[in-house]
Amino acid sequence: MPAMIKDPFQRLNLDREVLSVSQLNNRARLLLEDVFGGIWVEGEISNLARPASGHIYFTLKDSQAQVRCALFRQNAARVRQALRDGLAVKVRGKVSLFEGRGDYQLILDAVEPAGDGALRLAFEALKEKLGAEGLFAAESKRALPAHPRRIGIVSSPTGAVIRDIISVFRRRAPQVELSLIPTAVQGREATAQIVRALKLADAQGFDALILARGGGSLEDLWCFNEEAVARAVAACVTPIVSAVGHETDVSISDFVADVRAPTPSAAAELLAPHSNDLTQRVSVLQRRLTLAMNSRLARERMRLDGLTRRMRHPGERLRQQAQRLDDLDMRLRRAFAQQLNGRSHKLAQLEARLAGQHPGRHLKLLRQRLDSLAERLPRAMKEGLKARRLALKSQMQTLHVVSPLATLGRGYSILLDERGRAIRSAAATQPGQRLTARLGEGELEVRVEDNHVAPVTLSLLD
């Protein structure tokens, strides 16, 4: 192959440089690849060919033109949708030239359905919005449990996804309890069903959740890019693993979830520690424990040897304690004797004082006084009654002197109205009023003829 020139844009020499066909095609290829390094082109597939090499060749056309396209095997394996003639697609690649034939072509690295453009824009807009709200922040992510016991799986009850997950757990961790929370994972009702399933699963106290779906086109996976699903994932208190689509598929729920797994099987492996790994870890911990115990025993043995050398024979210490015990015993006996003598002396003094204050003599004096008072009491009572009788008689005489009854006895009377009130003035009566006249002996009923208060009018004819 001829040497590559440094600048494919340099002009031909003025002295009429002559190029070979291979040189021309080489310069044209370099020029095209440099200018059109990575572009998107939209059109319709035709003349699709799949040779045994695994590469894919087709023509991309519109109503007025066409261009040949080559999709090599390593890039063809990443294309999700089935390519066919008449399919409208968007392709990304570089413009190149097949130097052997001089054919102008596109070397592709990605192929997508033509309808993805609006979805991609919506995907990026929602991603930017939720990212600004902090739903993707690493500090909000929860760690997965090391040894889960109960795991909830939010997925479709049909299809290979649930079978793959169950197979992984049976092989790696059969002791884990799995519960399926069924939901649609594609179609119009999928978004609402996924939100309800996530809320239901989060309320059942699982150790972790798996949100799973198999691969598909962008439209098929779009329910996992809905804002409602993203916020439902973010609201889950239970740690959640998102495993939507194949390894190359990325959804909004992957960004919001605590952990993203490239496939549903990988999500199961994240939450199902292999029993061999656990056995190996237990063996490592057992060896570390044995080493730590041996090291601790060696240190304690050295410490015990040092204490043994420092310890004195217990017989010497027992003798010292016995001598001290004898000294304390003698001191206790002396103190007890002294205290006993002092208490005896004080008791004798108290007994002497008690004998001097014996209550017998005091009782005799009180009895004599009681007898004297008993003799004086009848005399005092008689004299008191006599004095009070004389005073009562004197007061009765005085009362009789001032009593109105005595006045009545001398011929006077008292007039009382119907209410028993004394009449003190003629003006308090009325002609014809009946009064009671109380005499010294008995009463009279009287009637007022004239009280002489109002003038009396006499008839001239009488």
Side-chain angles (χ1 to χ4, degrees), residues 3 10 24 43 77 108 111 117 142 172 208 238 245 248 269 370 374 391 398 417 422 424 450 452 456 458 462:
Q10 72 180 20
L24 174 63
L108 306 180
V111 178
R142 293 172 292 272
R172 294 173 59 92
T238 309
T248 57
E269 292 177 357
L370 181 60
T398 303
D417 61 10
R424 293 181 173 82
D450 187 5
H452 301 286
V456 178
L458 299 177
D462 290 342

Side-chain angles (χ1 to χ4, degrees), residues 170-401:
R170 284 179 177 174
R171 174 171 47 88
R172 294 173 59 92
Q175 74 280 1
V176 176
E177 176 186 341
L178 302 179
S179 298
L180 173 65
I181 296 86
T183 178
V185 292
Q186 182 177 339
R188 294 182 178 180
E189 302 297 328
T191 300
Q193 289 190 25
I194 293 173
V195 171
R196 287 195 298 269
L198 287 172
K199 291 181 180 179
L200 178 62
D202 191 42
Q204 294 186 17
F206 292 112
D207 297 324
L209 298 176
I210 297 177
L211 177 62
R213 188 211 189 276
S217 65
L218 183 61
E219 291 89 345
D220 295 339
L221 303 178
W222 189 251
C223 57
F224 295 93
N225 295 323
E226 294 287 354
E227 183 175 358
V229 173
R231 295 195 181 278
V233 172
C236 285
V237 177
T238 309
I240 185 169
V241 179
S242 177
V244 178
H246 297 302
E247 185 173 355
T248 57
D249 297 322
V250 179
S251 63
I252 296 295
S253 62
D254 293 337
F255 294 108
V256 182
D258 298 299
V259 176
R260 175 191 179 265
T263 63
S265 298
E269 292 177 357
L270 287 173
L271 291 170
H274 202 286
S275 57
N276 294 337
D277 297 338
L278 294 178
T279 302
Q280 183 178 3
R281 178 171 175 79
V282 170
S283 300
V284 172
L285 293 175
Q286 185 177 7
R287 288 195 297 271
R288 290 174 57 186
L289 178 61
T290 302
L291 291 175
M293 291 175 61
N294 291 335
S295 177
R296 177 69 180 272
L297 288 174
R299 291 197 304 270
E300 295 299 331
R301 190 176 293 109
M302 293 177 59
R303 183 169 175 268
L304 178 61
D305 293 340
L307 293 174
T308 302
R309 289 191 297 269
R310 292 168 54 189
M311 185 176 65
R312 292 182 298 176
H313 194 278
E316 179 181 355
R317 187 171 183 84
L318 288 174
R319 286 192 296 271
Q320 293 177 357
Q321 296 296 333
Q323 185 176 359
R324 177 170 174 78
L325 182 61
D326 293 339
D327 180 61
L328 292 174
D329 181 65
M330 289 186 292
R331 290 172 57 187
L332 177 62
R333 292 179 182 276
R334 288 196 297 269
F336 181 74
Q338 292 176 359
Q339 190 173 17
L340 184 60
N341 292 333
R343 295 288 179 87
S344 299
H345 180 68
K346 186 174 183 180
L347 180 60
Q349 291 179 345
L350 292 175
E351 287 179 348
R353 290 174 57 190
L354 181 60
Q357 296 181 1
H358 195 278
R361 183 175 61 181
H362 188 60
L363 289 175
K364 184 178 180 180
L365 293 175
L366 291 177
R367 190 175 292 108
Q368 292 176 355
R369 184 179 179 187
L370 181 60
D371 294 340
S372 175
L373 291 175
E375 293 178 357
R376 293 169 54 190
L377 179 59
R379 293 196 300 270
M381 290 176 62
K382 291 179 180 179
E383 292 177 357
L385 289 173
K386 183 178 179 181
R388 284 176 172 75
R389 191 176 288 111
L390 293 175
L392 178 61
K393 186 176 181 180
S394 174
Q395 291 174 357
M396 289 177 61
Q397 292 176 353
T398 303
L399 180 61
H400 182 71
V401 171

